[in-house]
Amino acid sequence: MLGKFQINRRSVLLTWLLSYLAVLLLPVIMSVIVYTQSSKALENEINQANQSLLMQVREVMDNQFEAMERLNFELRWNVRIQQFLYSDKYQLFPNEYLYDLHQITQDLLLYRTSYSLIDLFYIYLADSNKVLLPDVYREAPFAYDLMHKSNTFPYSEWNRIVSQTNAKGFIPMDRIDEAGKIRSTVAYVSSYAIEKGKSSATNVIMIDQSRILRAIDNMEIFNKGHVLILNEANQVLVSNSGEGENLLRDFPFDQEMMGSNVFFWEKDGQNYEITYIQSDRSKLKYLSIIPSRLFWEKAEKIRNLTYMSIFISLLGGIALTYFFLRRNYIPIRRLVKTLSVNKEMASSDGYNEFRFIEQAVDHTLVEMAKIMSEGKKQHHILRSNFVGRMLKGKLNEQIPTVESLATFNMSFVTDDFAVILLYIQESASFQNRIQEIGSADPQQLMHFIIKNVMEELAAQHHQGFVVEMEETLVCLINFSSEAPEGRMEELSRIARDTQSFLMSKYHLGLTLSISGIHNGITGISQAYLEALDAMEYKLVMGSKEILSYEEIRQSAAAEESDTIYYYPLQVELQLINYVKIGDFEMAKRTLDDIIERNFNRTFMSVTIARCLMLNLVSTMIKTIIELGDIQESEFIQNPRRIEKRIEQLTTCDTIQEMQLQMTDFLEKVCEYTSNKRQQNIQQSRQRMMDERIGQIMDYIDANYKDSNLNISMIGNHFDMKPAYLSKLFKDHTGEGLLDSINKTRIAGAKLLLDDSNKNVSDVAGCVGFNDVNAFIRTFKKYEGITPGKYKEMKEE
């Protein structure tokens, strides 16, 4: 049935036939590709899932291992343990050794409550061969029998591990639980540093493997494989099956684990898929071993599904190809016959029906659009050029103005004209909106918006023609014959409405200047010059204002005699001094007062304003030079930053902008100088305090033999209240003043006790104690023994 259609090598019918055949063959080809790639895809998918589960296990396990390391850290830096291991205390006070052992076991009891995930931990002391447990300490052999005794873990092996001087890491270890059962654990062993010949000690922290295996139960269900956790020496810390440990006995770690995290391994004629990851925190390795046969079970299902999809694709594709070819081609053929009446087709080479229709329609539309576009473009450019020449007073005298106006479809209602000049402030929000739209020329789009808004507002009662002149928009207003006396108010209304509308809708800030009203075509250029002059006063009046030439002229006439500005020398010196001492509030108040007194009057000429701006900038430069070491501050580490600051100040468009720039600069300089002064004051106070504490210590050394020496006596000597003196001494030295007096007396007493001719009572009186019992109590408090015992030790 398709034979009656004219088919040629360029016909859309042939194209569709080939397309449908491609669609028909695509499922077949894809099925073959799916079949050939399925095993690899499944492998990658399972490996990724396996690796993801391994990462989850790693995160859970790392938290538990991190708890072990955190407990080890707290044990190592426990004050009692540090003092026990590294101080020389027990050479003088051997009786306190057992008491301190008991105190440490009490601290370990608190740690056991805080770390509920830790199943067992203890500290092995090499010098005394003891083991410190929570709430109790034992001899090492007894502690081993109680916690570890088993045939697989002898006492010699345990003693070798805990006696190492540089051990740190995770190892497998067995322990005996409360029920007497042997449990496999992961142990974190960390030895203490040896200092000054002290014997070493070792922390042992254990978590049962059964607790860890709960986190990998889900992974075992997922892939029916083996999951293991290894330490840095490739020892098996945790395994979810004994078979997994047997597999690793001959595993070449150095060879296989140097490259990818996923690789294949063969052992005893069976292939395995190996996945491993390493923890950055604990440096442990997480290993998954999956038999390869699991992959091919799923691949067999994919192969059967592929055969079925090929058969269905071929059967359905043949029927659909015939149906859609017939249905889609008949309407196209009819349309081609209709359009070919006025267009000759090259039958010799054949033709494409869609291409023929497209060319016929596009040719007509393109020609029409080109004619209309060129006409509008040229008309707009020529009209803007004509209005610009009128504004500059450069009309061609050989061509009558009336003819030129008619050419550009322009007509003036009256002979009264005015000019509004528009200065556009940069707007970040508008630029962001333009970028979202994707405009190729944001500047042109912005001018287009302003032109349409301005002309529409002016057209409410008058006529407005907006043109671009030297990157500035100028609006020529031609007044209507209505209400001649209110035309200046009309100009102000048009300017205000334009300014408020563009700000509210497009976030565009405008500064507008308004000329006076002039008569005739020749007056247009005068109005343009007046608008330019008024825009100059943006420096004085500020941005986003409406500047009227008539109002500025009247204000200038009223204050013609006032041609100077307020900035006396003493005010400049005050500003410099405030900056030097870092008083930002007073410096800002002085700057604001200068600006207010100069610019809050009715008029100030642009020339005088620029002189004042330069003078203020000069003051800032002089202030920076006199500060000298301000180069040390962070915000002026690069000298180029000062130059940029000065450039920003000198290029400000308005006084308000310059005031903001100078205020920000003042704040940064004042902040630096204030911090410098505070630092100097604190250093001075610290030196005075060190001197006073030294004087107090000298006074104690000179008068400790006086029994009347106390805090009140020292306070009277230094003319200070006793309570304040005591607090001051405590805050500065960390020790109470009374403790310092007693320690000085005890030190003197020890020297006297070395003399065998004096007894304890004589020594007590010599060092300022009236009561010998008070002397004995104080001596025992600081030395741990009575004076008599101390004297006996010296005599021996």
Side-chain angles (χ1 to χ4, degrees), residues 432-462:
N432 292 336
R433 292 182 63 182
I434 293 302
Q435 290 177 358
E436 293 176 0
I437 296 173
S439 175
D441 191 350
Q443 188 77 8
Q444 185 178 0
L445 178 60
M446 180 168 55
H447 287 181
F448 175 78
I449 293 172
I450 297 172
K451 175 180 179 297
N452 283 275
V453 171
M454 191 78 177
E455 289 184 351
E456 184 176 347
L457 291 173
Q460 292 178 356
H461 301 288
H462 311 283

mmCIF file of all heavy atoms in Angstrom, residues 432-462:
data_model
loop_
_atom_site.group_PDB
_atom_site.id
_atom_site.type_symbol
_atom_site.label_atom_id
_atom_site.label_comp_id
_atom_site.label_asym_id
_atom_site.label_seq_id
_atom_site.Cartn_x
_atom_site.Cartn_y
_atom_site.Cartn_z
ATOM 1 N N ASN A 432 21.362 42.057 38.967
ATOM 2 C CA ASN A 432 21.069 40.648 39.226
ATOM 3 C C ASN A 432 19.822 40.205 38.464
ATOM 4 O O ASN A 432 19.777 39.098 37.915
ATOM 5 C CB ASN A 432 20.884 40.412 40.723
ATOM 6 C CG ASN A 432 22.168 40.599 41.496
ATOM 7 O OD1 ASN A 432 23.262 40.468 40.939
ATOM 8 N ND2 ASN A 432 22.069 40.930 42.766
ATOM 9 N N ARG A 433 18.802 41.077 38.431
ATOM 10 C CA ARG A 433 17.589 40.736 37.694
ATOM 11 C C ARG A 433 17.873 40.629 36.199
ATOM 12 O O ARG A 433 17.334 39.764 35.517
ATOM 13 C CB ARG A 433 16.518 41.801 37.948
ATOM 14 C CG ARG A 433 15.983 41.818 39.373
ATOM 15 C CD ARG A 433 14.898 42.854 39.558
ATOM 16 N NE ARG A 433 13.741 42.564 38.725
ATOM 17 C CZ ARG A 433 12.665 43.358 38.673
ATOM 18 N NH1 ARG A 433 12.619 44.464 39.387
ATOM 19 N NH2 ARG A 433 11.651 43.052 37.892
ATOM 20 N N ILE A 434 18.732 41.501 35.677
ATOM 21 C CA ILE A 434 19.077 41.457 34.255
ATOM 22 C C ILE A 434 19.817 40.164 33.928
ATOM 23 O O ILE A 434 19.603 39.534 32.893
ATOM 24 C CB ILE A 434 19.926 42.682 33.872
ATOM 25 C CG1 ILE A 434 19.088 43.965 33.992
ATOM 26 C CG2 ILE A 434 20.457 42.553 32.455
ATOM 27 C CD1 ILE A 434 17.852 44.001 33.152
ATOM 28 N N GLN A 435 20.710 39.730 34.842
ATOM 29 C CA GLN A 435 21.442 38.487 34.612
ATOM 30 C C GLN A 435 20.511 37.281 34.601
ATOM 31 O O GLN A 435 20.699 36.329 33.854
ATOM 32 C CB GLN A 435 22.518 38.307 35.679
ATOM 33 C CG GLN A 435 23.666 39.303 35.544
ATOM 34 C CD GLN A 435 24.683 39.136 36.654
ATOM 35 O OE1 GLN A 435 24.513 38.318 37.534
ATOM 36 N NE2 GLN A 435 25.735 39.945 36.626
ATOM 37 N N GLU A 436 19.457 37.329 35.452
ATOM 38 C CA GLU A 436 18.485 36.241 35.463
ATOM 39 C C GLU A 436 17.727 36.184 34.141
ATOM 40 O O GLU A 436 17.409 35.115 33.623
ATOM 41 C CB GLU A 436 17.510 36.426 36.634
ATOM 42 C CG GLU A 436 18.166 36.265 38.003
ATOM 43 C CD GLU A 436 17.190 36.559 39.129
ATOM 44 O OE1 GLU A 436 16.025 36.888 38.803
ATOM 45 O OE2 GLU A 436 17.586 36.478 40.301
ATOM 46 N N ILE A 437 17.407 37.376 33.596
ATOM 47 C CA ILE A 437 16.699 37.426 32.314
ATOM 48 C C ILE A 437 17.606 36.938 31.196
ATOM 49 O O ILE A 437 17.167 36.307 30.242
ATOM 50 C CB ILE A 437 16.203 38.865 32.038
ATOM 51 C CG1 ILE A 437 15.167 39.279 33.104
ATOM 52 C CG2 ILE A 437 15.612 38.989 30.642
ATOM 53 C CD1 ILE A 437 14.753 40.720 33.012
ATOM 54 N N GLY A 438 18.900 37.256 31.288
ATOM 55 C CA GLY A 438 19.856 36.846 30.267
ATOM 56 C C GLY A 438 19.975 37.848 29.141
ATOM 57 O O GLY A 438 20.184 37.468 27.990
ATOM 58 N N SER A 439 19.848 39.145 29.456
ATOM 59 C CA SER A 439 19.949 40.168 28.417
ATOM 60 C C SER A 439 21.388 40.286 27.934
ATOM 61 O O SER A 439 22.334 40.267 28.727
ATOM 62 C CB SER A 439 19.468 41.513 28.960
ATOM 63 O OG SER A 439 19.667 42.538 28.003
ATOM 64 N N ALA A 440 21.527 40.446 26.595
ATOM 65 C CA ALA A 440 22.877 40.566 26.028
ATOM 66 C C ALA A 440 23.484 41.922 26.312
ATOM 67 O O ALA A 440 24.698 42.058 26.391
ATOM 68 C CB ALA A 440 22.818 40.324 24.511
ATOM 69 N N ASP A 441 22.646 42.976 26.437
ATOM 70 C CA ASP A 441 23.129 44.340 26.667
ATOM 71 C C ASP A 441 22.324 44.971 27.807
ATOM 72 O O ASP A 441 21.279 45.604 27.576
ATOM 73 C CB ASP A 441 22.985 45.168 25.386
ATOM 74 C CG ASP A 441 23.715 46.511 25.496
ATOM 75 O OD1 ASP A 441 24.145 46.859 26.617
ATOM 76 O OD2 ASP A 441 23.847 47.190 24.478
ATOM 77 N N PRO A 442 22.756 44.777 29.075
ATOM 78 C CA PRO A 442 21.998 45.318 30.214
ATOM 79 C C PRO A 442 21.861 46.838 30.169
ATOM 80 O O PRO A 442 20.832 47.379 30.568
ATOM 81 C CB PRO A 442 22.828 44.859 31.432
ATOM 82 C CG PRO A 442 23.639 43.723 30.939
ATOM 83 C CD PRO A 442 23.914 43.996 29.512
ATOM 84 N N GLN A 443 22.906 47.539 29.704
ATOM 85 C CA GLN A 443 22.849 49.005 29.651
ATOM 86 C C GLN A 443 21.746 49.467 28.697
ATOM 87 O O GLN A 443 20.984 50.374 29.012
ATOM 88 C CB GLN A 443 24.219 49.545 29.194
ATOM 89 C CG GLN A 443 24.360 51.055 29.271
ATOM 90 C CD GLN A 443 24.590 51.513 30.696
ATOM 91 O OE1 GLN A 443 24.786 50.694 31.577
ATOM 92 N NE2 GLN A 443 24.548 52.805 30.929
ATOM 93 N N GLN A 444 21.652 48.833 27.547
ATOM 94 C CA GLN A 444 20.629 49.210 26.576
ATOM 95 C C GLN A 444 19.229 48.923 27.117
ATOM 96 O O GLN A 444 18.305 49.722 26.929
ATOM 97 C CB GLN A 444 20.860 48.452 25.267
ATOM 98 C CG GLN A 444 19.909 48.861 24.148
ATOM 99 C CD GLN A 444 20.202 48.120 22.858
ATOM 100 O OE1 GLN A 444 21.111 47.316 22.810
ATOM 101 N NE2 GLN A 444 19.435 48.400 21.829
ATOM 102 N N LEU A 445 19.065 47.793 27.800
ATOM 103 C CA LEU A 445 17.763 47.471 28.368
ATOM 104 C C LEU A 445 17.369 48.479 29.442
ATOM 105 O O LEU A 445 16.203 48.897 29.522
ATOM 106 C CB LEU A 445 17.796 46.056 28.963
ATOM 107 C CG LEU A 445 16.512 45.590 29.654
ATOM 108 C CD1 LEU A 445 15.342 45.591 28.693
ATOM 109 C CD2 LEU A 445 16.713 44.193 30.264
ATOM 110 N N MET A 446 18.321 48.896 30.283
ATOM 111 C CA MET A 446 18.030 49.871 31.337
ATOM 112 C C MET A 446 17.595 51.199 30.723
ATOM 113 O O MET A 446 16.620 51.824 31.176
ATOM 114 C CB MET A 446 19.274 50.057 32.218
ATOM 115 C CG MET A 446 19.099 51.051 33.346
ATOM 116 S SD MET A 446 20.462 50.958 34.543
ATOM 117 C CE MET A 446 21.865 51.186 33.481
ATOM 118 N N HIS A 447 18.306 51.666 29.684
ATOM 119 C CA HIS A 447 17.921 52.913 29.018
ATOM 120 C C HIS A 447 16.550 52.797 28.359
ATOM 121 O O HIS A 447 15.769 53.755 28.367
ATOM 122 C CB HIS A 447 18.982 53.278 27.980
ATOM 123 C CG HIS A 447 20.248 53.779 28.582
ATOM 124 N ND1 HIS A 447 21.335 54.188 27.838
ATOM 125 C CD2 HIS A 447 20.643 53.924 29.872
ATOM 126 C CE1 HIS A 447 22.311 54.574 28.628
ATOM 127 N NE2 HIS A 447 21.920 54.413 29.876
ATOM 128 N N PHE A 448 16.244 51.633 27.829
ATOM 129 C CA PHE A 448 14.939 51.424 27.203
ATOM 130 C C PHE A 448 13.818 51.560 28.230
ATOM 131 O O PHE A 448 12.775 52.179 27.968
ATOM 132 C CB PHE A 448 14.904 50.048 26.539
ATOM 133 C CG PHE A 448 13.570 49.669 25.961
ATOM 134 C CD1 PHE A 448 13.149 50.199 24.746
ATOM 135 C CD2 PHE A 448 12.732 48.798 26.649
ATOM 136 C CE1 PHE A 448 11.915 49.850 24.216
ATOM 137 C CE2 PHE A 448 11.503 48.450 26.126
ATOM 138 C CZ PHE A 448 11.085 48.978 24.908
ATOM 139 N N ILE A 449 14.018 50.974 29.413
ATOM 140 C CA ILE A 449 12.994 51.052 30.472
ATOM 141 C C ILE A 449 12.794 52.494 30.918
ATOM 142 O O ILE A 449 11.659 52.984 31.022
ATOM 143 C CB ILE A 449 13.417 50.161 31.664
ATOM 144 C CG1 ILE A 449 13.395 48.686 31.258
ATOM 145 C CG2 ILE A 449 12.501 50.396 32.855
ATOM 146 C CD1 ILE A 449 13.977 47.761 32.302
ATOM 147 N N ILE A 450 13.914 53.211 31.179
ATOM 148 C CA ILE A 450 13.804 54.596 31.659
ATOM 149 C C ILE A 450 13.150 55.481 30.596
ATOM 150 O O ILE A 450 12.313 56.344 30.903
ATOM 151 C CB ILE A 450 15.194 55.130 32.046
ATOM 152 C CG1 ILE A 450 15.770 54.308 33.209
ATOM 153 C CG2 ILE A 450 15.145 56.592 32.408
ATOM 154 C CD1 ILE A 450 17.200 54.633 33.548
ATOM 155 N N LYS A 451 13.500 55.292 29.347
ATOM 156 C CA LYS A 451 12.943 56.096 28.244
ATOM 157 C C LYS A 451 11.425 55.942 28.180
ATOM 158 O O LYS A 451 10.680 56.928 28.098
ATOM 159 C CB LYS A 451 13.590 55.674 26.931
ATOM 160 C CG LYS A 451 13.007 56.343 25.678
ATOM 161 C CD LYS A 451 13.717 55.842 24.435
ATOM 162 C CE LYS A 451 13.139 56.482 23.179
ATOM 163 N NZ LYS A 451 11.727 56.115 22.987
ATOM 164 N N ASN A 452 10.943 54.700 28.244
ATOM 165 C CA ASN A 452 9.512 54.475 28.150
ATOM 166 C C ASN A 452 8.753 55.032 29.346
ATOM 167 O O ASN A 452 7.679 55.623 29.191
ATOM 168 C CB ASN A 452 9.221 52.976 28.001
ATOM 169 C CG ASN A 452 9.476 52.468 26.607
ATOM 170 O OD1 ASN A 452 8.621 52.560 25.743
ATOM 171 N ND2 ASN A 452 10.667 51.929 26.379
ATOM 172 N N VAL A 453 9.321 54.864 30.556
ATOM 173 C CA VAL A 453 8.656 55.388 31.756
ATOM 174 C C VAL A 453 8.592 56.910 31.711
ATOM 175 O O VAL A 453 7.552 57.522 31.981
ATOM 176 C CB VAL A 453 9.401 54.895 33.022
ATOM 177 C CG1 VAL A 453 8.860 55.594 34.263
ATOM 178 C CG2 VAL A 453 9.270 53.385 33.157
ATOM 179 N N MET A 454 9.709 57.553 31.359
ATOM 180 C CA MET A 454 9.771 59.016 31.336
ATOM 181 C C MET A 454 8.801 59.591 30.292
ATOM 182 O O MET A 454 8.064 60.549 30.571
ATOM 183 C CB MET A 454 11.210 59.452 31.025
ATOM 184 C CG MET A 454 11.474 60.932 31.237
ATOM 185 S SD MET A 454 11.673 61.274 32.994
ATOM 186 C CE MET A 454 12.052 63.019 32.965
ATOM 187 N N GLU A 455 8.808 59.044 29.107
ATOM 188 C CA GLU A 455 7.932 59.565 28.058
ATOM 189 C C GLU A 455 6.463 59.339 28.401
ATOM 190 O O GLU A 455 5.606 60.189 28.106
ATOM 191 C CB GLU A 455 8.280 58.901 26.727
ATOM 192 C CG GLU A 455 9.617 59.354 26.162
ATOM 193 C CD GLU A 455 9.898 58.746 24.798
ATOM 194 O OE1 GLU A 455 9.131 57.853 24.390
ATOM 195 O OE2 GLU A 455 10.867 59.173 24.147
ATOM 196 N N GLU A 456 6.146 58.225 29.057
ATOM 197 C CA GLU A 456 4.749 57.953 29.408
ATOM 198 C C GLU A 456 4.258 58.912 30.486
ATOM 199 O O GLU A 456 3.132 59.413 30.421
ATOM 200 C CB GLU A 456 4.612 56.505 29.873
ATOM 201 C CG GLU A 456 3.178 56.106 30.173
ATOM 202 C CD GLU A 456 3.055 54.650 30.546
ATOM 203 O OE1 GLU A 456 4.031 53.903 30.340
ATOM 204 O OE2 GLU A 456 1.981 54.255 31.029
ATOM 205 N N LEU A 457 5.097 59.211 31.493
ATOM 206 C CA LEU A 457 4.690 60.150 32.537
ATOM 207 C C LEU A 457 4.574 61.564 31.999
ATOM 208 O O LEU A 457 3.680 62.326 32.409
ATOM 209 C CB LEU A 457 5.707 60.097 33.689
ATOM 210 C CG LEU A 457 5.712 58.797 34.504
ATOM 211 C CD1 LEU A 457 6.860 58.800 35.505
ATOM 212 C CD2 LEU A 457 4.389 58.625 35.255
ATOM 213 N N ALA A 458 5.481 61.953 31.095
ATOM 214 C CA ALA A 458 5.399 63.297 30.510
ATOM 215 C C ALA A 458 4.173 63.435 29.622
ATOM 216 O O ALA A 458 3.561 64.512 29.522
ATOM 217 C CB ALA A 458 6.665 63.587 29.717
ATOM 218 N N ALA A 459 3.759 62.342 28.963
ATOM 219 C CA ALA A 459 2.637 62.395 28.029
ATOM 220 C C ALA A 459 1.287 62.515 28.715
ATOM 221 O O ALA A 459 0.265 62.668 28.029
ATOM 222 C CB ALA A 459 2.660 61.150 27.147
ATOM 223 N N GLN A 460 1.257 62.454 30.050
ATOM 224 C CA GLN A 460 -0.026 62.604 30.736
ATOM 225 C C GLN A 460 -0.627 63.994 30.505
ATOM 226 O O GLN A 460 -1.851 64.126 30.397
ATOM 227 C CB GLN A 460 0.156 62.336 32.232
ATOM 228 C CG GLN A 460 0.494 60.887 32.542
ATOM 229 C CD GLN A 460 0.726 60.660 34.028
ATOM 230 O OE1 GLN A 460 0.711 61.607 34.824
ATOM 231 N NE2 GLN A 460 0.947 59.405 34.399
ATOM 232 N N HIS A 461 0.236 65.021 30.427
ATOM 233 C CA HIS A 461 -0.262 66.382 30.183
ATOM 234 C C HIS A 461 0.552 67.107 29.115
ATOM 235 O O HIS A 461 0.078 68.120 28.583
ATOM 236 C CB HIS A 461 -0.230 67.202 31.483
ATOM 237 C CG HIS A 461 -1.055 66.595 32.579
ATOM 238 N ND1 HIS A 461 -2.425 66.601 32.574
ATOM 239 C CD2 HIS A 461 -0.689 65.945 33.716
ATOM 240 C CE1 HIS A 461 -2.883 65.987 33.670
ATOM 241 N NE2 HIS A 461 -1.836 65.587 34.392
ATOM 242 N N HIS A 462 1.736 66.647 28.810
ATOM 243 C CA HIS A 462 2.618 67.350 27.884
ATOM 244 C C HIS A 462 3.236 66.325 26.929
ATOM 245 O O HIS A 462 2.758 65.200 26.815
ATOM 246 C CB HIS A 462 3.702 68.115 28.651
ATOM 247 C CG HIS A 462 3.149 68.945 29.775
ATOM 248 N ND1 HIS A 462 2.508 70.144 29.592
ATOM 249 C CD2 HIS A 462 3.134 68.708 31.130
ATOM 250 C CE1 HIS A 462 2.125 70.642 30.759
ATOM 251 N NE2 HIS A 462 2.495 69.779 31.716
#
